[in-house]
Amino acid sequence: MILEGKRLVVTGVVNRHSIAYAVAERAQREGADVVLTSFGRVRRMTERAAARLPEPADVLELDVNNDEDLDALGTELERRWGGVDGAVHAIAHAPPDALGGNFVGAPRESAKQAFETSAFSLNALAGAVAPLMEPRNGSGPRGGAIVGLDFDASVAWPSYDWMGVAKAALESVSRYLARDLGPAGIRVNLVSAGPIATPAAGGIPGFGDLADAVVFLLSDLSRAVSGEILHADGGAHAVGIGASRSPLAEAV
């Protein structure tokens, strides 16, 4: 089991059809201890999903736009485990008026919300967990891995609008974090799922493949990999429009 003994924080589980749920499930089957995070009205849904994991997981309160929640998360993880080996960032949100084909007319505030929740939040989460991954008391390198879920931001997708811009920012944030956290042995990478449907898809084929890619980046097998975007889209990013697509490449 490639995650034996690892202690992981997984954000973004809404229900059993979330990519993050598949990640948490795979991680447990590979030997990891897992806690989930959620907040607000969604938390009860997350708790129901957490109860269906192979090993029911605790759900900790976390609104990534709330500094008090971020501080409390770090405190609770240190109390619970003493350290953390990995974190999964599966958080993204944009107001409806920042999506849907009205890019030029989107309100400034909505674009800011998309950036803060979908891109800056990776930095915020890293700030909460990185101190728990760093070496302490001369005990040698601890290190760890932070993995985010991406959506290919190299092109302009129909209707994706300011979420696409936010994902481009997420990719840049991950590279700067890889630069700054690398000396502490902390790797930062993204998994780009390509144009797939999300929780509403009802668990389309391929979510397990995505989860395996994330698990690889959380494991020591990827110890030489940082600052990368791993495309787990069946090659969809590499072929032109009209080419045969994998089950992962369902249109949004």
Side-chain angles (χ1 to χ4, degrees):
M1 295 189 289
I2 64 173
L3 295 181
E4 184 71 37
K6 299 291 188 185
R7 301 153 298 180
L8 308 178
V9 182
V10 179
T11 69
V13 173
V14 176
N15 56 42
R16 291 174 55 239
H17 304 308
S18 304
I19 298 174
Y21 180 89
V23 171
E25 181 179 43
R26 283 285 200 275
Q28 285 189 342
R29 295 193 188 282
E30 289 296 333
D33 291 328
V34 173
V35 296
L36 310 183
T37 71
S38 190
F39 77 102
R41 291 177 296 176
V42 175
R43 179 163 179 165
R44 294 190 66 180
M45 297 173 62
T46 304
E47 289 171 343
R48 287 196 292 269
R52 300 289 297 273
L53 286 166
E55 294 291 333
D58 290 341
V59 179
L60 306 182
E61 184 78 8
L62 178 63
D63 173 357
V64 289
N65 294 329
N66 184 316
D67 289 338
E68 292 182 359
D69 280 7
L70 289 159
D71 290 342
L73 176 68
T75 299
E76 171 58 22
L77 292 172
E78 184 170 26
R79 182 199 68 78
R80 179 179 296 244
W81 286 334
V84 173
D85 300 295
V88 177
H89 177 278
I91 300 168
H93 172 73
D97 57 4
L99 302 166
N102 186 30
F103 181 81
V104 174
R108 182 190 304 268
E109 187 59 34
S110 295
K112 289 167 60 178
Q113 288 181 36
F115 169 78
E116 182 179 22
T117 305
S118 307
F120 184 80
S121 60
L122 178 62
N123 181 73
L125 179 64
V129 300
L132 301 175
M133 297 178 177
E134 295 174 354
R136 294 187 177 186
N137 302 322
S139 58
R142 176 181 285 168
I146 299 171
V147 182
L149 297 185
D150 191 21
F151 184 102
D152 187 1
S154 63
V155 298
W157 294 97
S159 301
Y160 211 44
D161 295 356
W162 286 97
M163 180 60 80
V165 174
K167 288 297 188 181
L170 176 74
E171 294 177 0
S172 186
V173 169
S174 72
R175 288 188 287 268
Y176 279 94
L177 286 173
R179 180 197 68 182
D180 287 359
L181 299 181
I186 301 170
R187 310 183 309 280
V188 183
N189 295 287
L190 300 178
V191 172
S192 179
I196 66 170
T198 44
I204 64 168
F207 274 25
D209 297 336
L210 291 169
D212 286 345
V214 175
V215 165
F216 162 71
L217 291 173
L218 290 169
S219 78
D220 293 338
L221 295 175
S222 66
R223 58 187 174 273
V225 181
S226 192
E228 287 292 337
I229 301 173
L230 174 59
H231 288 84
D233 59 5
H237 70 285
V239 298
I241 294 174
S244 176
R245 298 184 295 175
S246 78
L248 295 180
E250 300 290 334
V252 285

